[in-house]
Amino acid sequence: MEKFSLIVHPLSWRDFARIIPPVQYFPEKILKGAARFWPPFQISAIKGLSSSEGEIEGELRCCPLTPEHFLDWPVEISLRRIKSAVQSAAKNGAKIAGLGAWTAVPGERGSALAPELGIPVTTGDSLTIYMALEAVKTAARERALNWDTASIAVLGVTGLSESALACARLLARENRFLTLVVRERGKTDRTVAEILYETGVAVRVTDQAKEVVRQADVVIAFTANEDAFEEIKPGDFKRGAVLCDVLWPRNLAQRIAPQGQDLLVIEDGVVALPGTVEMDSAKATLWGCSPSQCPAWMAEVMILALEKRFEAFSLGRGIGVGQIEEIGRLALKHGFKLAL
């Protein structure tokens, strides 16, 4: 039976105690220093995941660093810890591993690290984008927005602009009122011309983010840790709008959500799982995973394992239309769909 591994990490020190209860008795300062030396470990086995093509099993494996570590420590230390987690997964029989949350951020979203790991890794970004678009469409319908005529804005920071452009190409097939907000306008000219040729849609391109979000019914953001459109404030959004911050870290959504007024903030599409899945739910729920559903990045790893495509499917900062369409097709083939 094919095996996969999902590399996760605690989102806070409180999560450490939920994973390993005795940890709650140690001072946080000691735990922070000791985390550099903790070996990676399995949090939960995952069994019973099946489709018409067969059955697979996997695991949640902990890279024992918090977001604080990833932000404060030299990137070389984070990369060593991620590498150790993937290699331990391989020793446990995994043929492919997924990098989730902050483990996907260092090393150019996995691309710099992948050649050293021994087994393929994927960030799950392709299915994340696919399911995020599905989730946004569903949210728009729930808010009585006409998807064909809604004003849609795609925010793309430098580095993630290729992923934002791929998203814009897909949206232009269904919507004619599309604005692309980018930091470096000249780099989008060719893609915008291609979209016009392919669909007849003249995509508006601007660097005026605040002006655009004030008019947009739907905002789809590709932010980065170093650029999260800090100039945008909660009050800048149109009443009744939908905001989706697609890839981790979701700094814009996390900053806007607590203060958003009549604004629906969604992070990505949660995926319903096929089969009768078994796992340690008490621990898995820390990462939005349960026997019935999981985040899209996790689902991409599972789909590739079911398909026996042990390859680095989503790596780097530029995800293309072909990748998004292909993983969407495979998701439907194996019974993965947006969890409603």
Side-chain angles (χ1 to χ4, degrees):
M1 187 180 297
E2 311 298 355
K3 297 182 70 173
F4 65 90
S5 182
L6 305 169
I7 309 301
V8 297
H9 63 84
L11 299 178
S12 68
W13 290 108
R14 188 177 304 156
D15 289 343
F16 265 115
R18 294 177 66 179
I19 300 169
I20 310 173
V23 164
Q24 63 185 303
Y25 301 110
F26 289 84
E28 183 175 311
K29 184 176 181 180
I30 292 177
L31 288 175
K32 182 178 179 180
R36 183 182 297 198
F37 308 102
W38 282 10
F41 58 91
Q42 185 184 92
I43 297 170
S44 173
I46 302 173
K47 298 181 179 180
L49 191 66
S50 64
S51 76
S52 59
E53 302 294 317
E55 185 173 335
I56 57 173
E57 62 181 35
E59 64 169 3
L60 287 171
R61 179 163 292 267
C62 184
C63 175
L65 302 179
T66 67
E68 184 180 357
H69 288 120
F70 286 104
L71 289 169
D72 294 347
W73 286 0
V75 67
E76 293 78 12
I77 296 177
S78 298
L79 290 174
R80 283 201 300 269
R81 304 301 286 128
I82 297 167
K83 180 178 178 180
S84 175
V86 174
Q87 290 176 333
S88 68
K91 290 180 181 178
N92 196 42
K95 292 186 178 180
I96 188 170
L99 303 179
W102 280 95
T103 66
V105 177
E108 295 298 311
R109 298 200 72 81
S111 59
L113 194 61
E116 306 175 19
L117 297 177
I119 60 172
V121 293
T122 181
T123 61
D125 285 352
S126 298
L127 190 65
T128 296
I129 295 171
Y130 178 88
M131 289 296 177
L133 290 177
E134 293 298 305
V136 168
K137 293 177 190 178
T138 300
R141 286 194 296 268
E142 291 176 351
R143 290 225 154 186
L145 295 173
N146 187 324
W147 185 251
D148 297 337
T149 58
S151 173
I152 302 178
V154 179
L155 313 185
V157 298
T158 302
L160 287 174
S161 294
E162 290 301 317
S163 298
L165 288 170
C167 182
R169 294 183 90 125
L170 291 169
L171 288 167
R173 299 174 183 178
E174 303 173 346
N175 181 279
R176 303 187 65 83
F177 301 94
L178 186 60
T179 300
L180 183 61
V181 180
V182 292
R183 298 301 197 189
E184 298 181 23
R185 296 180 59 176
K187 293 186 176 182
T188 66
D189 292 347
R190 179 177 176 179
T191 300
V192 169
E194 290 172 346
I195 291 174
L196 179 62
Y197 177 78
E198 293 168 359
T199 66
V201 173
V203 177
R204 177 192 174 200
V205 181
T206 179
D207 57 4
Q208 300 300 309
K210 288 175 72 72
E211 172 194 329
V212 170
V213 300
R214 285 171 178 159
Q215 303 174 31
D217 298 307
V218 175
V219 178
I220 301 172
F222 291 80
T223 61
N225 188 50
E226 62 274 15
D227 187 354
F229 289 97
E230 292 290 340
E231 70 270 29
I232 298 176
K233 307 302 179 185
D236 292 332
F237 287 84
K238 183 177 180 179
R239 289 183 63 85
V242 176
L243 166 64
C244 180
D245 202 350
V246 182
L247 302 181
W248 194 277
R250 301 184 179 97
N251 294 321
L252 179 61
Q254 291 172 357
R255 179 164 52 83
I256 297 297
Q259 308 172 62
Q261 297 179 350
D262 194 20
L263 174 69
L264 177 59
V265 179
I266 57 178
E267 293 190 346
D268 60 16
V270 178
V271 181
L273 298 176
T276 304
V277 182
E278 301 175 8
M279 66 178 70
D280 186 334
S281 299
K283 295 177 180 177
T285 51
L286 293 173
W287 295 275
C289 188
S290 74
S292 62
Q293 61 187 37
C294 73
W297 75 266
M298 293 184 181
E300 179 172 307
V301 185
M302 299 169 184
I303 291 166
L304 293 172
L306 281 165
E307 189 69 10
K308 296 182 174 58
R309 284 182 62 166
F310 302 112
E311 60 185 73
F313 193 85
S314 301
L315 283 181
R317 289 174 172 253
I319 302 299
V321 169
Q323 290 169 274
I324 299 168
E325 292 180 320
E326 174 70 359
I327 199 65
R329 181 186 68 81
L330 293 177
L332 295 176
K333 173 184 175 181
H334 291 285
F336 292 77
K337 56 187 178 181
L338 185 69
L340 301 177

